[in-house]
């Protein structure tokens, strides 16, 4: 399964590295009627005659005020002329008229990414030594998978803004992703000093302790995470795991069941639940949980196999 | 949370100033002013418990003013006691509905409690009272981001940039809002049509930016299979082939693009460049 998180990192990469907006190139009009009537404007756009494209699209829009194809074409023409703000406005109007138009959304994403880049350049011009510049560089490295440089840049940023919750959490998450749990706990604990009721920090801290085989230390942080977000299936699961490790079987079962109530397809929760029931001598429940875990596991294998068979299939997210 | 702290810190002097100016509310009795200043000093020095006790004492002694309640709210906010903070900000608003500060602060506390639509309502009131107050715009923009309404967030951050064009931090916030808007669009494309060619394009562009040219090319080739007549795809493949040093493939792809869009200035320019390189 290609998760949204992965897709997000790709988009961020596109925005932060060398995004080239192809607003003038990538075609797309809504209907055949629109296509015919806007053909002149489209041709003008492709041949680089943006003024002409703009003028033709404007004439078309006088007759068809709410044509998303017309608005999109006009937007692309004005963007090509360098008027990004106007282009954004036109595309925003188009998406309000037809929120499900993927062409409009595509061009809106393109111009937004371009304008993001512009603002980041502006940030650099206004304050080249800002911690934000280092933070952006870190995020850019991270999106490319260059973790070592990302950590380096985050640390530079942190020197300039030692109490930035965003930075502390980002660097802690990164350390955790690299299995540097001890280091992660240092940053999470600093983050919790800045913001004592921050879910991400509390959860990250708890998970790090769990990986460090310190369930007793993890438990209060899972509980804190649940105070911040009682509907977090992940935190209930983590707490159930930690309680199981210290032998609090009843507590563990309660948390794992809650995790499954919130997220019924959480395979790992079934697996731990089976273990907990087993240790409590509740063998039939243990078998049922184990069967559910195995069924979900088979489904995961099949789904993974489908992705391997067709590398170009796109993420299909939750349907 | 940082935003809240910042809001709190910045608004303290304004609240004090309001206390000393011709506030529409009844002024603080003279005998309580020294105590109030001591509370402000404690707040500024981060002695939050002291500050809390002093402001509560001032209120009990009859110093029921907007400034005192706002400052007490700030103390609670800094102690992460947002429910108590909100109650104080409401009291401050009842005493002076035309002061934007408690609305902004209340909005920030509501955001911390995840009460996003209430936060937006309060922050909108603040921007109506003081359209050029940067903190109100900043918090409102953040609230819209939390509400997954990036277009509205962009609007607020654009206003913020106009109000304070030299503030680097606001350039960052606006940049992030644009980025979130781009993500939001892509997320919606994925939701509306998970097999959309546009999604393949977005991903290909991302991989290309990451330097994963083969993956980018594969995705674009899939896009061509899905929609062979969509302009731009062959051109992107041609550009990638050129990046990979494969001029012949690039030329073949650019010709396919020109077969679809003979007038494409970009494709013609690339073709001419490729021909020159081939010579």
């Amino acid at each position: 399964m290609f998760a949204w998180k992965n897709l997000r990192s790709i988009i961020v990469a596109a925005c932060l590295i060398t995004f080239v907006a192809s607003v003038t190139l990538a075609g797309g009009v809504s209907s055949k009627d629109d296509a015919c009537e806007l053909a002149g404007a489209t041709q003008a756009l492709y041949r680089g005659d943006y003024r002409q494209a703009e003028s033709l699209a404007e004439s078309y829009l006088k007759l068809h005020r709410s044509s998303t194809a017309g608005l999109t074409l006009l937007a692309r023409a004005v963007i090509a002329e360098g008027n990004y703000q106007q282009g954004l406005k036109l595309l925003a109007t188009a998406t309000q008229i037809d929120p499900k138009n993927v062409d409009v959304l595509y061009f809106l994403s393109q111009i937004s990414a371009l304008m993001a880049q512009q603002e980041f350049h502006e940030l650099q011009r206004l304050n080249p030594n800002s911690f934000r510049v280092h933070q952006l560089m870190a995020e850019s490295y991270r999106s490319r998978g260059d973790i070592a440089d990302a950590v380096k840049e985050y640390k530079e940023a942190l020197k300039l803004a030692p109490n930035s919750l965003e930075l502390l959490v980002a660097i802690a998450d990164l350390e955790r992703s690299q299995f540097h749990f001890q280091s992660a706990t240092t940053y999470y604990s600093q983050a919790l000093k800045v913001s004592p009721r921050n879910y991400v920090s509390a959860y990250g801290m708890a998970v790090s302790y769990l990986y460090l085989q310190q369930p007793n230390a993890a438990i209060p942080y899972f509980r804190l995470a649940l105070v911040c977000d009682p509907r977090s299936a992940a935190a209930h699961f983590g707490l159930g795991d930690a309680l199981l490790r210290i032998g609090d079987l009843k507590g563990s079962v309660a948390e794992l069941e809650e995790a499954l109530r919130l997220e019924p397809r959480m395979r790992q929760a079934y697996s731990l639940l089976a273990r907990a029931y087993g240790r409590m001598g509740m063998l039939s429940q243990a078998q049922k949980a184990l069967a559910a875990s195995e069924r979900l596991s088979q489904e995961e294998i099949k789904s993974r196999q489908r992705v391997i068979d067709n590398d170009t299939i796109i993420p299909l997210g939750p349907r | 949370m940082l935003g809240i702290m910042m809001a709190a810190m910045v608004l303290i002097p304004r609240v004090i100033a309001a206390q000393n100016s011709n506030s529409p509310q009844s002024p603080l009795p003279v005998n309580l002013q020294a105590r109030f200043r001591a509370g402000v000093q404690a707040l500024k020095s981060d002695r939050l418990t002291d500050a809390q006790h002093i402001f509560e004492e001032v209120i009990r002694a009859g110093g029921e003013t907007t400034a005192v309640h706002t400052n007490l709210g700030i103390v609670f906010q800094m102690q992460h006691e947002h429910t108590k903070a909100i109650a104080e900000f409401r009291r401050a608003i009842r005493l002076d509905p035309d002061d934007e500060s408690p609305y902004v602060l209340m909005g920030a506390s509501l955001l911390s409690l995840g009460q996003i639509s209430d936060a937006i309502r309060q922050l909108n009131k603040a921007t109506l009272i003081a359209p050029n107050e940067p903190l109100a715009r900043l918090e409102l923009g953040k609230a819209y981001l939390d509400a997954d309404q990036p277009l509205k967030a962009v609007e607020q951050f654009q206003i913020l940039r106009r109000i304070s064009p030299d503030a680097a931090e606001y350039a960052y916030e606006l940049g992030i809002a644009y980025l979130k808007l781009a993500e939001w669009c892509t997320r919606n494309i994925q939701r509306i049509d998970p097999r959309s060619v546009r999604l393949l394009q977005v991903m290909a562009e991302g991989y290309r930016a990451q330097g994963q040219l083969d993956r980018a090319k594969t995705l674009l080739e899939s896009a061509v299979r899905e929609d062979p007549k969509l302009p731009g795809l062959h051109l992107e493949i041609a550009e990638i082939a050129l990046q990979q040093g494969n001029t012949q493939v690039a030329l073949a792809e650019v010709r396919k693009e020109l077969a679809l869009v003979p007038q494409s200035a970009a494709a013609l320019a690339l073709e001419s460049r490729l021909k020159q390189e081939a010579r």
Side-chain angles (χ1 to χ4, degrees):
Chain A
M1 180 73 78
F2 194 105
W4 164 246
K5 201 175 161 191
N6 297 4
L7 183 56
R8 183 184 180 276
S9 78
I10 292 167
I11 298 160
V12 172
C15 297
L16 294 178
I17 305 169
T18 49
F19 199 93
V20 182
S22 50
V23 282
T24 61
L25 304 172
V29 269
S30 288
S31 70
K32 278 185 181 170
D33 291 345
D34 281 336
C36 290
E37 290 188 50
L38 284 170
T42 309
Q43 280 171 13
L45 183 70
Y46 285 135
R47 69 171 179 268
D49 188 351
Y50 306 131
R51 283 277 159 84
Q52 175 74 355
E54 191 182 331
S55 155
L56 289 170
E58 273 173 348
S59 306
Y60 179 81
L61 280 166
K62 276 181 193 156
L63 298 171
H64 309 85
R65 280 173 190 277
S66 55
S67 158
T68 49
L71 286 165
T72 307
L73 201 62
L74 179 58
R76 291 165 65 193
V78 299
I79 290 167
E81 285 183 291
N83 191 346
Y84 297 165
Q85 182 56 39
Q86 178 64 7
L88 180 83
K89 224 170 144 183
L90 289 162
L91 290 167
T93 308
T95 200
Q96 273 157 11
I97 294 169
D98 183 1
K100 290 190 172 178
N101 187 319
V102 291
D103 280 334
V104 174
L105 288 167
Y106 172 75
F107 289 114
L108 188 56
S109 83
Q110 298 274 300
I111 189 59
S112 306
L114 195 64
M115 290 173 87
Q117 255 203 348
Q118 228 177 23
E119 281 307 314
F120 295 146
H121 285 141
E122 194 54 15
L123 162 69
Q124 200 161 17
R125 187 189 66 78
L126 288 167
N127 187 356
N129 296 319
S130 149
F131 81 92
R132 294 298 197 185
V133 173
H134 290 288
Q135 184 184 0
L136 284 173
M137 283 170 73
E139 278 160 18
S140 169
Y141 282 126
R142 187 175 61 174
S143 67
R144 276 186 278 182
D146 183 350
I147 303 298
D149 279 329
V151 171
K152 215 167 101 187
E153 284 299 333
Y154 275 130
K155 284 184 179 170
E156 284 301 314
L158 213 49
K159 278 184 202 162
L160 298 166
N163 288 323
S164 162
L165 179 66
E166 267 175 86
L167 290 176
L168 289 165
V169 169
I171 196 165
D173 282 348
L174 210 53
E175 291 287 37
R176 178 155 69 93
S177 74
Q178 299 303 296
F179 300 95
H180 301 152
F181 298 112
Q182 203 63 58
S183 171
T185 58
T186 308
Y187 291 108
Y188 285 129
S189 85
Q190 283 181 46
L192 283 166
K193 274 184 198 149
V194 175
S195 175
R197 288 195 183 169
N198 179 267
Y199 171 84
V200 183
S201 315
Y203 179 78
M205 189 80 158
V207 170
S208 301
Y209 275 129
L210 210 52
Y211 273 102
L212 290 166
Q213 307 299 331
Q214 297 178 34
N216 278 313
I219 288 168
Y221 288 105
F222 277 127
R223 291 200 196 283
L224 178 59
L226 285 167
V227 168
C228 307
D229 181 3
R231 293 188 51 80
S232 164
H236 281 292
F237 169 75
L239 182 54
D241 186 356
L243 291 170
L244 182 63
R245 293 187 200 204
I246 62 161
D248 179 352
L249 304 178
K250 213 172 151 190
S252 170
V253 165
E255 293 302 330
L256 294 169
E257 283 179 344
E258 183 60 13
L260 284 168
R261 194 184 63 77
L262 293 164
E263 208 174 305
R265 294 183 62 80
M266 194 187 263
R267 178 181 54 79
Q268 300 92 328
Y270 277 114
S271 169
L272 286 191
L273 201 52
R275 218 180 297 167
Y277 282 139
R279 282 170 63 183
M280 288 167 88
M282 299 163 74
L283 298 181
S284 89
Q285 280 99 324
Q287 275 174 348
K288 271 187 200 163
L290 200 59
S293 163
E294 278 171 7
R295 180 176 45 79
L296 288 169
S297 173
Q298 288 304 318
E299 285 177 22
E300 278 176 27
I301 291 167
K302 277 186 197 160
S303 150
R304 227 174 290 142
Q305 192 57 47
R306 273 199 298 275
V307 174
I308 293 165
D309 289 345
N310 186 356
D311 188 37
T312 60
I313 284 187
I314 299 264
L316 307 176
R319 285 180 190 252
Chain B
M1 193 60 70
L2 185 70
I4 298 168
M5 305 280 275
M6 193 172 68
M9 302 308 282
V10 176
L11 284 164
I12 291 167
R14 301 192 56 219
V15 173
I16 300 163
Q19 188 58 62
N20 296 331
S21 69
N22 298 325
S23 163
Q25 291 308 307
S26 53
L28 192 65
V30 178
N31 62 323
L32 295 175
Q33 285 183 3
R35 203 67 191 126
F36 174 75
R37 279 196 294 273
V40 170
Q41 204 48 52
L43 177 52
K44 281 179 165 176
S45 328
D46 216 20
R47 289 181 285 114
L48 299 180
T49 312
D50 289 350
Q52 179 191 334
H53 291 153
I54 294 170
F55 291 133
E56 284 170 341
E57 182 192 313
V58 170
I59 291 168
R60 275 197 303 273
E64 184 90 359
T65 68
T66 303
V68 181
H69 282 296
T70 303
N71 277 353
L72 183 55
I74 291 170
V75 172
F76 286 134
Q77 193 174 65
M78 292 174 80
Q79 291 170 329
H80 309 282
E81 296 277 4
H82 293 289
T83 310
K84 286 184 183 173
I86 289 166
E88 291 306 322
F89 297 138
R90 284 197 199 284
R91 287 181 190 119
I93 289 168
R94 265 201 297 277
L95 292 168
D96 182 5
D98 295 328
D99 179 1
E100 80 280 8
S101 311
Y103 292 102
V104 176
L105 291 159
M106 180 153 61
S109 273
L110 286 164
L111 273 183
S112 284
L113 292 177
Q115 296 175 25
I116 301 170
S117 46
D118 282 348
I120 289 174
R121 218 178 355 261
Q122 298 304 331
L123 292 164
N124 263 317
K125 282 183 197 164
T127 60
L128 286 175
I129 295 167
N132 290 326
E133 169 55 54
L135 282 171
R137 297 287 175 188
L138 180 67
E139 292 299 329
L140 185 54
K142 286 180 181 172
Y144 279 129
L145 285 182
D146 283 356
D148 201 24
Q149 296 181 43
L151 263 169
K152 288 189 175 174
V154 160
E155 203 180 312
Q156 293 305 318
F157 290 127
Q158 284 181 339
I159 297 171
L160 187 59
R161 287 278 286 132
R162 279 199 291 276
I163 296 169
S164 310
D166 294 329
E169 180 63 19
Y170 299 158
Y172 172 81
E173 296 290 353
L174 179 56
I176 292 294
Y178 284 133
L179 209 57
K180 297 233 162 128
L181 178 56
E183 281 177 31
W184 177 85
C185 291
T186 311
R187 211 173 346 117
N188 274 302
I189 296 174
Q190 189 184 26
R191 187 177 51 79
I192 295 162
D193 181 4
R195 290 179 179 272
S196 162
V197 171
R198 294 305 192 189
L199 198 56
L200 291 167
Q201 268 185 293
V202 171
M203 290 181 64
E205 283 151 10
Y207 281 132
R208 193 175 161 193
Q210 287 180 331
Q212 297 190 52
L213 299 181
D214 284 331
R215 290 189 85 166
K217 200 159 150 258
T218 306
L219 284 169
L220 288 167
E221 284 162 355
S222 300
V224 169
R225 279 195 296 278
E226 290 285 327
D227 188 352
K229 291 190 173 174
L230 186 69
L233 298 175
H234 287 294
L235 186 61
E236 279 189 71
I237 298 174
E239 285 167 355
I240 292 172
L242 183 61
Q243 265 180 285
Q244 291 176 317
N246 200 336
T247 317
Q248 285 312 310
V249 173
L251 200 55
E253 289 295 333
V254 87
R255 283 178 180 153
K256 285 180 196 168
E257 181 74 20
L258 285 167
L260 288 174
V261 196
Q263 70 276 34
S264 167
L268 288 167
L270 185 58
E271 186 191 37
S272 144
R273 186 182 152 194
L274 287 166
K275 278 180 181 165
Q276 273 179 354
E277 281 184 21
R279 266 184 225 139

